[in-house]
Amino acid sequence: DRPHPTPPKPNGPSQWGGAATEKQINAIFAIGRSKGYEADDLKVLVGEKVGKSVMQLTSREASKLIDDLKAA
């Protein structure tokens, strides 16, 4: 039996599935403020959209939320 080769690593940031970065969290609040949201409103919005607090977001969830806020 030959050993199986290790699967290739995905391209992109290594923390894509990990915790949201400080930069992403700051972006969520900055974009939200530019759209007229207060910090507390954003926390509620994140809870409704994702079911968790801003600090619990994964990098992927934060990225999607940033895109959604920009499009709003």
Side-chain angles (χ1 to χ4, degrees):
D1 286 288
R2 279 195 243 157
H4 295 287
T6 56
K9 292 186 177 174
N11 292 331
S14 61
Q15 351 176 242
W16 191 242
T21 65
E22 185 178 344
K23 187 175 175 182
Q24 286 177 307
I25 292 168
N26 289 340
I28 288 167
F29 284 102
I31 296 164
R33 276 193 304 272
S34 77
K35 300 287 184 173
Y37 290 101
E38 297 292 328
D40 288 342
D41 297 331
L42 282 168
K43 290 174 185 174
V44 170
L45 180 73
V46 170
E48 289 173 352
K49 280 188 167 283
V50 190
K52 54 176 85 168
S53 76
V54 175
M55 299 309 288
Q56 295 173 316
L57 291 173
T58 65
S59 182
R60 187 180 300 270
E61 290 165 338
S63 181
K64 169 117 176 59
L65 191 60
I66 289 166
D67 289 344
D68 290 349
L69 284 169
K70 285 179 179 176

